[in-house]
């Protein structure tokens, strides 16, 4: 990790993505931009993003997901409508912890019993004005997707803090991987 004044840039991370283990419906919160979940799971995905420009960017990959401009804190979906909710590198764009909590509460509400929440997120230190996280993703079909995420710094977003928040919201049976600069968490609604 290099730090120039108060801007932090993370060297390129190589991240292998697998298919999600379910045939049910998937809600991808913050699913615009690279549209990773939509590119992997196609028409089973309802991808929401707060910005239309991010949805338009994801749609260039021409996958048949359902796209909705919405705020992840207050989604109009029925309770227990989805088998999986994903937050893949979108929590970093929610710099306020009240927003992160509200989004996880919404995820919990819309998940079916035994549904899974899949989170991948960068670690964002307590200090710094901004963080740029570079990644090359390998999709299940071997396609490479190289991107960078620029987010507000100073969030103190770590695996232990996200685990604590998820547990507080009601999720349990956590499985996680800590990769230093980023982490993966899968947790269940029981």
């Amino acid at each position: 990790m290099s730090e120039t004044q108060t801007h932090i840039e993370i060297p390129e991370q190589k991240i292998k993505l697998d298919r999600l283990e379910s045939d049910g419906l998937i809600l991808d919160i913050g699913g615009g931009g690279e549209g990773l979940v939509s590119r992997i799971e196609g028409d089973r995905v309802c991808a929401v993003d707060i910005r239309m420009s991010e949805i338009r960017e994801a749609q260039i990959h021409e996958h048949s997901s359902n796209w909705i401009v919405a705020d992840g804190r207050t989604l109009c979906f029925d309770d227990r409508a989805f088998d999986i909710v994903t937050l893949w590198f979108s929590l970093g764009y929610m710099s306020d912890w009240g927003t992160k909590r509200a989004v996880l509460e919404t995820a919990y509400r819309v998940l079916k019993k035994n549904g899974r929440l899949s989170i991948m997120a960068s670690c964002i230190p307590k200090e710094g004005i901004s963080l740029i996280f570079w990644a090359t993703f390998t999709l299940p079909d071997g396609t490479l997707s190289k991107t960078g995420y620029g987010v507000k710094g100073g969030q103190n977003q770590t695996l232990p803090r996200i685990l604590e928040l998820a547990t507080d919201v009601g999720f349990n049976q956590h499985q996680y991987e800590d990769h230093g600069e980023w982490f993966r968490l899968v947790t269940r609604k029981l």
Side-chain angles (χ1 to χ4, degrees):
M1 173 170 58
S2 67
E3 187 171 343
T4 307
Q5 295 178 10
T6 55
H7 300 282
I8 299 168
E9 187 168 344
I10 304 300
E12 179 184 355
Q13 305 293 301
K14 297 187 183 301
I15 301 172
K16 184 179 182 299
L17 301 176
D18 296 315
R19 294 224 38 217
L20 296 168
E21 297 172 5
S22 171
D23 292 327
L25 295 177
I26 300 164
L27 173 62
D28 184 22
I29 299 175
E34 287 300 301
L36 297 170
V37 177
S38 294
R39 291 166 68 183
I40 295 169
E41 300 297 339
D43 64 358
R44 294 187 310 118
V45 178
C46 179
V48 300
D49 204 290
I50 201 163
R51 294 185 304 194
M52 180 58 114
S53 60
E54 293 295 312
I55 289 173
R56 292 282 183 237
E57 182 180 339
Q59 287 177 326
I60 66 170
H61 300 289
E62 298 180 0
H63 289 279
S64 58
S65 299
N66 301 290
W67 300 93
I68 298 174
V69 176
D71 185 326
R73 294 175 290 189
T74 56
L75 296 174
C76 61
F77 302 113
D78 289 339
D79 295 355
R80 298 174 300 281
F82 294 92
D83 294 278
I84 298 175
V85 174
T86 57
L87 286 152
W88 287 8
F89 293 95
S90 54
L91 280 175
Y93 290 99
M94 304 167 202
S95 59
D96 174 74
W97 280 85
T99 300
K100 292 179 200 292
R101 170 179 282 284
V103 168
L104 289 186
E105 288 170 346
T106 297
Y108 188 86
R109 180 184 64 77
V110 302
L111 270 173
K112 293 179 180 177
K113 184 177 178 185
N114 294 316
R116 288 177 291 141
L117 173 64
S118 173
I119 296 174
M120 280 190 276
S122 54
C123 295
I124 305 171
K126 288 188 240 190
E127 60 281 334
I129 292 173
S130 66
L131 177 123
I132 299 174
F133 181 90
W134 295 104
T136 298
F137 296 99
T138 303
L139 279 62
D141 67 0
T143 301
L144 297 179
S145 181
K146 187 172 184 172
T147 191
Y149 299 109
V151 297
K152 183 177 177 184
Q155 295 184 39
N156 193 22
Q157 178 173 283
T158 63
L159 174 58
R161 287 196 75 197
I162 296 297
L163 269 169
E164 180 181 352
L165 182 58
T167 301
D168 193 44
V169 166
F171 290 100
N172 48 37
Q173 286 193 345
H174 311 301
Q175 295 177 312
Y176 54 86
E177 302 168 10
D178 187 344
H179 296 274
E181 305 293 354
W182 67 279
F183 57 89
R184 186 184 318 241
L185 167 65
V186 177
T187 188
R188 286 193 179 274
K189 173 185 179 178
L190 296 179

